[in-house]
Amino acid sequence: MSDLPERLSLREVGPRDGLQNEDPVPTAAKVALIDALSRTGVGRIEAVSFVRPDAIPQMADADEVWRAITPNPDVRYSALVPNLRGAGRALDAGFREIEVVVSASDTHNRKNVNRSTEQSLDEIAAIIAQAHTAGATVQTIVSTAWGCPYEGDVPVDRVLAVAGRALADGADTLSYGDTTGMATPSRVTRLVGETRSAHPDVPLNLHFHNTRGTGLANVLAALELGVSDFDASVGGLGGCPYAPGATGNIATEELVHMVEDMGVATGVDLEAMIAAAAEAERIVGRTLPSQVLRAGPRTRTISAN
Ligand code: ZN
């Protein structure tokens, strides 16, 4: 285990990616969840997205949520933006870390935002320039990096080409999203390996979904290559839009539970994260998929009597 990173940088994405894929919840509940998460020791929180309210009603109150939270100075908060207009809103709101998404699959990109991957990359270049002028950093998230619900497998070369274009345009960091849970450990090893060869100095975040049960196995494969930056969602909040009832994001407390026992520090208080997951479950009013939320930490004991 000595080759594993000593410490992970975790980004909690439940308030944004998670809640965006659940039925809308009240503003106060979102604020309470973000504040609870900010007290778990997690270092980064993807708080909101600045999208069109008519397109994504779950995030219509992004400005109100952001104004109402109690910022923890030890936490870095980020916002996801779909376009230049959203980037302007995020920068005006004070965000200095923003995320943009582009799909490696042209069909998926057209279905999502009604334009080609190339056209999205053109706008991302403009967003990067705008953000840098404002002193902010931009992470480009390449979604469907391990497969597309319309096209099936997405070639590694295609993913590398999309990532390479965003980096050439000035993206500060890179993330790969397994949007539909199609990654397996061998595919993670290949894409991360080729990315490292092409861009050895670029910080790489990975965003796995557990749709087919390989989420934590994929994390382990990436850890063994030294990747130390992962997204996860409290409770496993957020479903899979392409398969009703299926699981989406890996659960933060499951990730913390596994890696801490392997000697990899996360800074997260596991019991506090489990409590936040219980709160998330109460907020959305459905049973969340996290197994550590159900069973508790491995050291939890029951009375022998
Ligand atoms: Zn996700």
Side-chain angles (χ1 to χ4, degrees), residues 17 207 209 249:
D17 181 320
H207 179 109
H209 282 196
N249 296 302

Side-chain angles (χ1 to χ4, degrees), residues 41 57 76 88 148 169 188 209 239 303:
R76 288 159 49 197
C148 163
D169 288 332
V188 170
H209 282 196
S303 166

